[in-house]
Structure formats: C-alpha cells, structure tokens
C-alpha cells in the first residue's frame, strides 16, 4: 500500500519530536502522565477551591459582557470583574467568555506560574468528570499533539532569546536614524537628498515596528517587566505610538484571527468586504456603503497610503486621551520632540511635518502589504470555535524563507509559527517550522507557503473575489 499524506506526516512528526511507542521522556506514555483528558496539562499544584461541577452547557451560558466564565485546564473561572483589569485588555479575555481558553492562556503567558496566582481567587469549580476536556468543534487529538509539540519546543530551548540578535536589530535602527540626520546635516536638503532621507527613515520606522512587536509579545526577556519597558521605549520613543493601544488591539487579533467582531484587523468599517461570507451577507441585505466590486482598485488609494498616517494616528491619539494614558502619551511626545529638534533647523516646522508625513506614507505601504499578505487571502468568517492549531492555520499562511524576506517582514513570513507561539523569539521560527508542518500533515490541516510575489498578488485577488461575491449577491439574491 502507498502511505497516505497523513501517514507520512505522522512518521515525520514522530521522527522530529522523538516520540516513541513506549517509555522514555519523549514518549506518548510519558507525555500522557502529565496531561488530563484530551491532552491538557494538569494543574496538580493548584488547590481545588471550587466544589461545583459544571457542564459545558453551563459554562457557555456565561458569555455576556457582565457575566463571563471561562475554562482553563478543566477549571472553571468567573472572570467578570477581572476582565476589566486584565493587562491585555478587557476584550481579548472576553472573546473567550463561555469557552475553553486553555490553549490561548498558554500561548499568551510566558510565565504560567506567575499568572496562575491571579486565577486562584477566580476559581468557582471545575468541569464534571463526564464532560470532555474540549468544547464545541475542538479536536482532542489535535490539541494533545499540539501540546506535545509545545512541550518539545520548550525542552529544545526554542523559547529562549538570543540577546545579540535583538541588540543588532536595535543597533541597525539607531544607525539608520543617525544616517538620515547625517545626510541632511552634511549634504543639504535638496529634493534628492530629502527623498533619500525619507526612505532611510521609513526603513528605520518599519524595522522599529517589527522590533516593538517582539517586545510587545514578551519574547525577548524572561522578565515581563523588561519587555514592557523596552516596548514603551521602541514604540513610544522610536515611533511615536502607544504600547497599550497596540497591546489591546494586537492581542485580540492573535486570540481570534480573522474572526468578525473579535479581530479588529478585519473590522473594515464598511470600506471593504472581506472573506466569502461577509460579501454575501452585505449583498443580500443590499448594503452598499462603497462600490465593493471595485474595492481591489480603490484599495491602492485608501488602504496602504492612509492606514498609518491617518487612521492609526487618529486612533492612537484618541485612545491615549480617552483612557488618560499619560505614560504612553509622554513616550509618544518624546519621539516628536526629538524629531523636531533634529529636523526643524533644516526644514522648518511645516517642512518637518511634511517630511514625517511622507515617511509615514512610505511606512504604511510596507506595513499593510506585509501584514495583509499573511491573512487577507485566508479564511475570514464568524466564530467557529475551533482548536488553537486549526483556527490559526485557517487564518494564516507563510511566505518563503530567505534572508531578505526575514528582514523585510521582521520574520513575519513565518506567520503560522508566530501565531501558534506568539511568545517565541522570532529567530527560532525557522527551527520549529518543520515540526509544525509535520503536525499539520499528520492531521490533514493545510499548511500554506507562498512566494513573496504570490503573497502580495493574493491580497488584490482576494479583494476582487470578495467584491465579485458581493455584486452577485447584491444583484441576484
């Protein structure tokens, strides 16, 4: 018999993870000793502070803004009041209200022992012994194997950062900033030199964006506090933005990627319709805020050019003032103070504003194309309640690895691995990628890898397909 694709993936998976049929620390039997039903890591050290046993139906009733329960490792927690104080924002934890949040909990928190201290007062009970460990459409075998993969990656040191790597990233950003100023100071402010200065500053801003992303995901230092401090420095002082605004927005995207009403990145404010279901829904309801069948054309005019210099800029300022986030505001103002002190003597106030606006314009193109090529062509739909691996693979794809692609995208060409392990240092994505691919092969989950050109063109193609779906539904349904 010819082995099937899943059988081949199973063999590769077992070889890569070192799993044996019996015995040994890497065996399935050894792994199962530290797991509960469905492959969940057990919390034997945590005292059982709740005596009530609940069913999944009981838990799922508590999914409202003022009544939120969730399950972690079969323990049931009431997070209604805690959600308001959650460091990652109220929305990201609310997206898992009434659900099993075990995998998301493990993915977002590098120090689980520390975070569990906050969970203990919230414990109200546990799942009944007759209840499965997974709810709704989550597959126990997929969850178990992914848990095994994560444990293997931890043992192999894939969650340990290389300080030299991140020092070099910061160093080349500061060098580019200094070079741009040096060109203006030494050579003048002609149109050609100003254009060169703008390009260099745009490169520095884009690379700073990838670096703040690393600190924001707590993937550099062991201590979260140092990650938070450096995050505020990079996104605030080097970019003029807000760390808290980024955290609250970006963590929602990771928690529920490409899920309408939960992922802010697919909230297109009626300007675009995306995916396969939303265009049909809009068409049937005769919703026409924009000529959506032309959205693949007007995307070039209002998408990449305006996202950072207009939409994000307004949103950041509004968020900092509405939440009275004076610390982030101070960091942000320190960037603009430094920038105008450096460039106003050469360009004047209005000239400096024009220069930074053009830099933001260039950076915005870079950011939009890199971030959208991994997500926009993928499945975008309403909540499906899938397991972590399936959900992330349906919403993400990779771009081929190369030294340029790694640098150009801040290693987000490994978008799949980044979404599965958001706290993993990006220089280790290349190591874990074959393990993820093998696991997907085993379970028949598509693992997409595209060329950079295909990734970019698929953004436009997906917008056109969605626009055509809307037009057909609008005219004929």
């Amino acid at each position: 018999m010819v082995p099937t694709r899943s059988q081949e993936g199973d063999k590769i998976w077992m070889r890569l993870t070192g799993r044996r049929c019996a015995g040994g620390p890497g065996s399935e039997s050894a792994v199962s000793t530290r797991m509960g039903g469905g492959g969940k890591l057990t919390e034997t050290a945590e005292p059982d502070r709740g005596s009530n046993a609940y069913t999944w139906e009981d838990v799922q009733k508590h999914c409202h803004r003022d009544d939120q329960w969730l399950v972690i490792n079969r323990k049931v927690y009431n997070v209604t009041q805690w959600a308001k104080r959650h460091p990652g924002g109220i929305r990201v934890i609310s997206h898992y209200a009434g659900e099993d949040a075990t995998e998301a909990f493990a993915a977002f928190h590098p120090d689980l022992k520390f975070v569990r201290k906050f969970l203990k007062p919230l414990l109200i009970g546990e799942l009944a012994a007759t209840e499965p460990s997974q709810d709704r459409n989550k597959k126990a075998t997929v969850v178990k194997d992914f848990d095994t993969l994560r444990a293997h990656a931890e043992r192999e040191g894939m969650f340990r950062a290389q300080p030299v790597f991140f020092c070099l990233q910061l160093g080349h950003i500061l060098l580019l900033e200094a070079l741009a100023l040096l060109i203006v100071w030494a050579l003048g402010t002609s149109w050609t030199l100003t254009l060169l200065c703008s390009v260099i500053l745009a490169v520095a801003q884009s690379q700073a964006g990838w670096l703040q992303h690393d600190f924001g995901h707590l993937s550099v230092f062991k201590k979260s506090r140092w990650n938070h401090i450096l995050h505020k420095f990079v996104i605030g002082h080097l970019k003029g933005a807000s760390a808290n605004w980024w955290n609250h927005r970006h963590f929602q995207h990771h928690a529920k990627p490409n899920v309408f009403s939960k992922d802010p990145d697919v909230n297109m404010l009626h300007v675009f319709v995306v995916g396969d279901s939303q265009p049909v829904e809009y068409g049937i309801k005769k919703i026409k805020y924009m000529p959506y069948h032309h959205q693949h054309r007007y995307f070039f005019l209002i998408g990449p050019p305006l996202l950072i210099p207009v939409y994000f800029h307004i949103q950041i300022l509004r968020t900092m003032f509405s939440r009275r986030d004076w610390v982030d505001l101070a960091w942000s103002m320190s960037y603009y103070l430094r920038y105008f002190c450096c460039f106003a003597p050469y360009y004047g106030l209005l000239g400096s504003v024009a220069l930074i606006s053009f830099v933001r314009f260039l950076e915005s193109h870079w950011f939009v194309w890199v971030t959208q090529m991994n997500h926009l062509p993928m499945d975008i739909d309403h909540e499906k309640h899938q397991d972590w691996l399936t959900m992330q693979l349906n919403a993400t794809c990779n771009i081929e690895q190369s030294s340029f692609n790694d640098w150009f995208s801040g290693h987000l060409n490994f978008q799949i691995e980044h979404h599965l392990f958001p706290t993993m240092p990006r220089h280790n994505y290349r190591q874990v990628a074959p393990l993820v691919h093998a696991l997907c092969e085993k379970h028949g989950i598509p693992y997409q890898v595209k060329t950079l050109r295909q990734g970019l063109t698929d953004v436009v193609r997906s917008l056109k397909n969605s626009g055509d779906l809307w037009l057909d539904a609008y005219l004929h349904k």
Side-chain angles (χ1 to χ4, degrees), residues 143-164:
V143 173
K144 181 176 181 179
D145 278 352
F146 180 71
D147 212 0
T148 302
L149 171 56
R150 183 179 181 87
H152 174 78
E154 290 175 345
R155 288 195 304 270
E156 294 297 313
M158 296 183 193
F159 285 87
R160 287 198 296 267
Q162 298 175 3
V164 174

Side-chain angles (χ1 to χ4, degrees), residues 27-307:
S27 68
E28 279 195 64
S29 59
V31 171
S32 65
T33 61
R34 62 188 183 87
M35 291 185 177
K40 296 298 183 183
L41 290 174
T42 58
E43 294 185 59
T44 56
E46 182 177 294
D48 185 2
R49 294 188 55 180
S51 59
N52 295 326
Y54 298 99
T55 65
W56 280 115
E57 185 178 359
D58 294 330
V59 174
Q60 290 162 11
K61 294 176 182 177
H62 301 270
C63 60
H64 308 289
R65 184 178 181 86
D66 57 350
D67 182 18
Q68 299 181 13
W69 291 9
L70 52 79
V71 175
I72 298 174
N73 292 323
R74 298 188 62 86
K75 306 276 187 193
V76 181
Y77 299 92
N78 185 341
V79 298
T80 306
Q81 297 302 319
W82 166 247
K84 302 173 184 177
R85 297 180 285 119
H86 182 235
I90 186 173
R91 291 182 179 178
V92 67
I93 197 170
S94 298
H95 292 339
Y96 277 91
E99 297 183 31
D100 178 29
T102 307
E103 293 183 291
F105 177 77
F108 288 132
H109 303 105
D111 188 350
L112 295 181
K113 291 182 180 179
F114 174 77
V115 182
R116 285 193 184 106
K117 294 190 300 183
F118 297 94
L119 285 178
K120 289 181 181 180
L122 311 177
L123 181 65
I124 59 173
E126 59 185 343
L127 292 175
T130 55
E131 290 293 301
S133 292
Q134 281 71 48
D135 62 328
R136 295 185 171 102
N137 300 323
K138 297 169 185 175
K139 301 175 183 177
T141 55
V142 174
V143 173
K144 181 176 181 179
D145 278 352
F146 180 71
D147 212 0
T148 302
L149 171 56
R150 183 179 181 87
H152 174 78
E154 290 175 345
R155 288 195 304 270
E156 294 297 313
M158 296 183 193
F159 285 87
R160 287 198 296 267
Q162 298 175 3
V164 174
F165 174 87
F166 292 103
C167 285
L168 290 175
Q169 295 299 316
L170 178 59
H172 99 286
I173 293 167
L174 298 177
L175 185 62
L176 287 169
E177 294 259 357
L179 179 61
L181 181 60
L182 181 62
I183 288 173
V184 174
W185 174 74
L187 301 178
T189 58
S190 67
W191 283 104
T192 304
L193 292 173
T194 299
L195 179 61
L196 177 60
C197 175
S198 300
V199 171
I200 293 173
L201 287 175
V203 173
Q205 286 294 294
S206 296
Q207 291 300 315
W210 309 142
L211 184 59
Q212 69 83 21
H213 181 260
D214 297 317
F215 291 116
H217 276 294
L218 312 179
S219 64
V220 181
F221 296 102
K222 291 183 179 180
K223 296 290 186 181
S224 295
R225 182 171 177 269
W226 285 106
N227 283 299
H228 290 312
I229 292 173
L230 268 294
H231 187 212
K232 288 186 181 295
F233 169 76
V234 176
I235 196 174
H237 186 67
L238 295 187
K239 289 188 63 62
S242 164
N244 287 334
W245 165 83
W246 182 90
N247 283 338
H248 293 182
R249 178 187 177 90
H250 192 67
F251 289 160
Q252 291 184 74
H253 163 68
H254 271 268
K256 296 288 184 177
N258 285 12
V259 176
F260 289 123
S261 77
K262 294 186 176 181
D263 180 1
D265 286 4
V266 295
N267 177 21
M268 300 296 181
L269 302 176
H270 303 302
V271 177
F272 301 100
V273 288
V274 292
D276 295 334
S277 62
Q278 187 188 49
V280 176
E281 291 171 5
Y282 273 47
I284 292 174
K285 295 177 181 178
K286 308 303 177 185
I287 298 176
K288 187 183 179 182
Y289 291 99
M290 300 285 286
Y292 296 121
H293 54 300
H294 293 301
Q295 66 179 4
H296 61 291
R297 295 188 177 94
Y298 66 71
F299 170 76
F300 290 92
L301 299 176
I302 63 177
L306 302 182
L307 183 66

Side-chain angles (χ1 to χ4, degrees), residues 406-453:
D406 293 350
W407 174 84
F408 179 73
S409 67
H411 286 83
L412 294 183
N413 50 326
F414 290 98
Q415 190 73 218
I416 292 172
E417 288 69 32
H418 170 60
H419 264 257
L420 291 177
F421 309 104
T423 61
M424 180 179 288
R426 58 166 140 146
H427 51 69
N428 289 331
Y429 294 157
R430 191 174 180 179
Q431 289 178 258
V432 79
L435 301 175
V436 174
H437 194 186
L439 180 57
C440 292
E441 287 269 329
K442 177 182 177 181
H443 292 283
I445 301 173
Y447 181 101
Q448 293 192 39
V449 182
K450 305 177 181 180
T451 64
L452 181 60
R453 176 179 292 183

